[in-house]
Amino acid sequence: MSNDPAVEIRGLVKRYGPKTAVDGLDLTVRRASVTAVLGPNGAGKTTTVETCEGYLRPDAGTVRVLGLDPITQAPALRPRIGVMLQSGGVYSGARAVEMLRHMASLYADPLDVPALVDRLGLGSCGRTPYRRLSGGQQQRLALAMAVVGRPELVFLDEPTAGLDPQARRATWDLVRELRADGVGVVLTTHHMDEAEQLADEVAIVDAGKVVAHGSPELLCRGGAENTLRFTGRPSLDLASLLKALPDGTQAAELTAGVYRVTGDVDPQMLATVASWCAQNGVMPDSLTVERHTLEDVFLELTGKELRA
Amino acid sequence: MSAGTFTPRPAAAPVTRMIRAQTALETRMLLRNGEQLLLTVIIPALLLVLFSSVDILDTGAGKSVDFLAPGVLALAVMSTAFTGQAIATGFDRRYGVLKRLGASPLPRRALMAAKTLSVLLTEVLQVALLTVIALALGWSPHGNPLAVAALLLLGTAAFSGLGLLMAGTLKAEATLAAANLVFLLLLVGGGVIVPLDKFPDAVRSVLELLPISALSDGLREVLRNGAAMPWGDAAVLACWSVLGLGAAARFFRWE
Ligand SMILES: Nc1ncnc2c1ncn2[C@@H]1O[C@H](COP(=O)(O)OP(=O)(O)OP(=O)(O)O)[C@@H](O)[C@H]1O
Ligand SMILES: [Mg+2]
């Protein structure tokens, strides 16, 4: 049973009136891994996550979370998942620590509340009513509420939106620790660096479908070409270099003595270029690899226009 | 926090513990809210003191406090079970509290039980306070306390159903406005401080069917006239309870 994927979504469709928010989405999330769901505004990230949390009934397709149907088996599922909504979820008059302690009291074996409060830096605002907390403090409280019940799997909808750099790093550390302790994490984000830093798997969603899925390294390598630049003597014979490199690789002299090789840049290619330089008596003054970032891949896949 | 801190150990708390915790929280939220206190405690207490000591209302034969105290108790029930609960629940819904609790181990039934208990707890405090004030003003209550308790419970059920119906279907701001307006209208037209026989007969026969009229009239029958259970008023309240709670269960939207 614990070999089931943490989340398995097949052909999910969700419509709001005439608008199709999720349009045949497939996604599998392994247990105890971190999955980042990326996508432009309105891509269907929140809709997908909320379907997993049992808030929305799919119009078509199946969703299984920890092997359970989030709607018909909700009572069994709810204690096992932690939820951080994109916003809200707390009584406006409740104090931060009061609310966290309350959430803890709904579980049989919750985390130690004072330690969690410390950990997320909520101590100084522990007695402040929710409506007077800053946006970042509200986010951190919502995060604490998601993990306090010792869930097996947490869904975090934009957990670092509006956080300062310190709080963002504290959230990243927490996510890493959750994973190390065997908790699965599904998070949505608009920060590419966050996905690159944290995620075992990235799913890029656009217009209600997964358009790319894989580890950040794989996506950066596969989704777009990378480049290698080096400098040397002018007018080198690039044709002989290309012969030594895989098909599809391109090479050009940009300006006198500045060369660019475009293709699937991996350690093997680097070694080939270096040994070709050695054979030709070229001492590269500089040799840099420019890897595409997740952001390049994201923009390439989802286009550059603003979304409605 | 060290390695293994977050190792999953998921399990819901026993349902009685969840209900206890939720009731305590809901009650604290209610008592902490200044506007709510105005509605549930200060206005009923002021009306009681003002109209019993200043003789500007013609409340019929006998001491005016004997007329007013039952009406103000009915008003207290309405202010908590209907107005207060509608406004609070409307805003809980708007701020995603109901949604967030929906993903916690707390079952919906347990949440509703906790809300009901917290309303009853608040009413106990209100009734105690208003009774003390009324007694100080020379109130001499009669009748069977069990009949009074039964009427208060029926009234609570009727007003809760209507309050939750409003909170679960309208926007929070609309609920706020409508619940306050209804409170004001029923305060005047529900036999709380103005006897219904001051209204023309046709109007009066309609007003008598309102839950607030049934509750204040029923309480007055028992507490002022020492009647046994006023079955007519109880039946009106029971009808409103069935209609209100039924409609709320059917139409309440959690988000
Ligand atoms: N309750 C609703 N009623 C109508 N349309 C909705 C509703 N919720 C979402 N939508 C629409 O469904 C689409 C997907 O919304 P969703 O919230 O899932 O996007 P998202 O990827 O989470 O976006 P963001 O990055 O802005 O949070 C959007 O076009 C949105 O307008
Ligand atoms: Mg979203």
Side-chain angles (χ1 to χ4, degrees), chain A residues 28-304:
Chain A
T28 305
V29 171
R30 280 182 296 119
R31 296 230 173 194
S33 70
V34 177
T35 299
V37 180
L38 294 172
N41 289 139
K45 302 180 296 296
T46 297
T47 305
T48 302
V49 167
E50 293 197 346
T51 310
C52 295
E53 293 161 347
Y55 288 122
L56 301 170
R57 193 179 290 276
D59 289 317
T62 56
V63 175
R64 289 291 173 273
V65 178
L66 301 173
L68 301 172
D69 182 316
I71 297 214
T72 60
Q73 294 171 301
L77 180 59
R78 275 191 213 119
R80 296 171 63 188
I81 60 171
V83 167
M84 175 176 177
L85 299 175
Q86 190 164 355
S87 64
V90 182
Y91 293 88
S92 72
R95 300 180 176 120
V97 171
E98 178 179 41
M99 189 66 200
L100 187 56
R101 205 173 292 127
H102 178 65
M103 283 308 287
S105 72
L106 302 179
Y107 295 87
D109 196 4
L111 293 179
D112 182 45
V113 170
L116 190 58
V117 165
D118 258 10
R119 173 66 202 263
L120 287 168
L122 288 167
S124 60
C125 57
R127 293 192 49 79
T128 311
Y130 180 74
R131 63 172 175 278
R132 299 218 188 87
L133 293 177
S134 77
Q137 291 165 340
Q138 293 185 345
Q139 289 283 90
R140 278 179 273 157
L141 174 60
L143 178 64
M145 285 164 57
V147 302
V148 75
R150 290 181 190 265
E152 288 169 61
L153 175 64
V154 293
F155 293 95
L156 311 176
D157 201 354
E158 301 200 17
T160 61
L163 291 189
D164 65 31
Q166 288 83 355
R168 206 142 87 86
R169 289 203 159 50
T171 302
W172 290 2
D173 288 342
L174 187 83
V175 168
R176 290 192 185 104
E177 225 174 292
L178 287 168
R179 178 181 180 282
D181 286 346
V183 182
V185 179
V186 176
L187 57 88
T188 71
T189 181
H190 290 292
H191 299 293
M192 304 299 149
D193 57 335
E194 185 159 295
E196 268 180 311
Q197 287 274 332
L198 287 181
D200 300 301
E201 300 272 324
V202 172
I204 299 181
V205 177
D206 192 21
K209 289 190 178 71
V210 172
V211 293
H213 185 217
S215 68
E217 297 75 34
L218 193 76
L219 286 181
C220 292
R221 234 175 344 118
E225 307 228 291
N226 292 312
T227 56
L228 186 153
R229 282 170 193 267
F230 65 94
T231 53
R233 285 200 310 275
S235 310
L236 287 169
D237 176 21
L238 290 175
S240 71
L241 171 61
L242 283 178
K243 243 177 260 154
L245 290 170
D247 287 348
T249 312
Q250 292 173 348
E253 185 170 2
L254 298 176
T255 57
V258 178
Y259 300 90
R260 185 184 66 192
V261 182
T262 319
D264 191 2
V265 178
D266 57 7
Q268 185 53 53
M269 178 200 256
L270 200 61
T272 310
V273 171
S275 71
W276 177 82
C277 286
Q279 279 159 25
N280 291 277
V282 177
M283 175 63 210
D285 293 330
S286 75
L287 191 155
T288 53
V289 175
E290 289 167 15
R291 291 181 61 80
H292 282 272
T293 60
L294 202 49
E295 182 144 0
D296 298 329
V297 179
F298 181 85
L299 289 174
E300 187 171 303
L301 285 169
T302 61
K304 294 203 164 106

Side-chain angles (χ1 to χ4, degrees), chain A residues 177 180-181, chain B residues 1-7:
Chain A
E177 225 174 292
D181 286 346
Chain B
M1 299 189 127
S2 53
T5 305
F6 298 104
T7 304

